[in-house]
Amino acid sequence: NAGVTQTPKFQVLKTGQSMTLQCAQDMNHNSMYWYRQDPGMGLRLIYYSASEGTTDKGEVPNGYNVSRLNKREFSLRLESAAPSQTSVYFCAGSAGTVSYEQYFGPGTRLTVT
Amino acid sequence: AQSVTQLGSHVSVSEGALVLLRCNYSSSVPPYLFWYVQYPNQGLQLLLKYTTGATLVKGINGFEAEFKKSETSFHLTKPSAHMSDAAEYFCAVRRSGSARQLTFGSGTQLTVLP
């Protein structure tokens, strides 16, 4: 039982390049989330998926797209990376039970030069 | 709308001293409150949660938090700090709606001095 996994762990991109961050969970979570973490700003929600087949924008969706491929997998795509997207990205899942707690992956550290 | 304020972006305590990390929230729905811990270069790990019932909740690693509705607070405490407690701590509150979203505070970095 790996929980929430993310690949890659580290990535360096040049401005304008594209890439996809992968997230998978084996906890049977209904809801999945993508956050970015920047110093002094806590976690900000980029996109979320309340259930398989649905996605919706969070607080900071500009420059990103997502795909909920199936119940297990939720990917985040940067179509044309910008230096402002340098950040640490976390994927999380929630079972969708009463208590709302989320379980986080280990993160992807992305640098855009 | 929901929001979380963590007072003090950096807190330093001596090993063996009381740890007190402050969290105040605002919520338009009955609050569900959470504390998470993040060790360097890792993801967030759930420490404890309050949903309903007992207002003093105990979590992992000897931490506890008390929900005080009148003060809209959910402060995190530990009687005796250990070097291994050095980490960043985040308070979070549930958001209304069906997607089980959380709103996070900006975090408090805890340093434990020998």
Side-chain angles (χ1 to χ4, degrees):
Chain A
N1 188 342
V4 180
T5 57
Q6 294 182 236
T7 55
K9 291 189 188 309
F10 301 93
Q11 184 70 51
V12 179
L13 292 178
K14 295 186 187 302
T15 297
Q17 287 185 317
S18 63
M19 79 160 295
T20 300
L21 281 63
Q22 305 287 353
C23 174
Q25 52 91 6
D26 61 5
M27 303 175 76
N28 203 34
H29 290 161
N30 291 315
S31 301
M32 296 184 75
Y33 311 83
W34 276 105
Y35 293 91
R36 59 178 289 170
Q37 182 180 31
D38 302 290
M41 303 188 74
L43 278 80
R44 292 182 292 169
L45 183 65
I46 305 171
Y47 270 93
Y48 64 95
S49 171
S51 61
E52 185 179 356
T54 69
T55 62
D56 214 336
K57 296 178 180 179
E59 304 166 62
V60 289
N62 291 346
Y64 305 96
N65 282 300
V66 291
S67 296
R68 182 77 182 266
L69 305 170
N70 47 55
K71 190 171 185 178
R72 291 187 64 248
E73 299 173 287
F74 187 40
S75 62
L76 178 72
R77 183 161 178 84
L78 286 70
E79 292 291 351
S80 179
S84 61
Q85 294 178 305
T86 294
S87 188
V88 182
Y89 292 86
F90 289 100
C91 177
S94 176
T97 55
V98 175
S99 60
Y100 279 58
E101 65 253 40
Q102 295 181 11
Y103 296 89
F104 285 79
T108 295
R109 189 172 296 272
L110 175 67
T111 302
V112 183
T113 62
Chain B
Q2 290 72 43
S3 67
V4 175
T5 301
Q6 291 185 239
L7 296 175
S9 59
H10 291 83
V11 170
S12 294
V13 299
S14 298
E15 191 174 20
L18 172 71
V19 175
L20 171 60
L21 304 182
R22 300 179 186 274
C23 172
N24 288 90
Y25 70 90
S26 66
S27 179
S28 58
V29 296
Y32 289 177
L33 295 155
F34 306 83
W35 275 101
Y36 284 84
V37 60
Q38 184 181 30
Y39 299 104
N41 300 315
Q42 295 187 26
L44 278 71
Q45 179 183 357
L46 182 67
L47 264 182
L48 49 80
K49 65 182 181 184
Y50 168 80
T51 54
T52 59
T55 56
L56 181 64
V57 294
K58 296 185 184 299
I60 61 173
N61 301 338
F63 284 92
E64 62 183 34
E66 186 171 13
F67 169 61
K68 292 187 176 181
K69 185 176 179 180
S70 61
E71 298 177 8
T72 61
S73 68
F74 191 57
H75 301 331
L76 182 71
T77 61
K78 182 174 181 179
S80 177
H82 192 272
M83 298 296 288
S84 60
D85 295 327
E88 189 155 24
Y89 293 79
F90 293 92
C91 183
V93 65
R94 73 158 170 169
R95 297 177 67 170
S96 59
S98 62
R100 313 289 176 182
Q101 295 180 58
L102 299 178
T103 295
F104 287 85
S106 57
T108 297
Q109 182 69 48
L110 176 66
T111 299
V112 182
L113 304 170

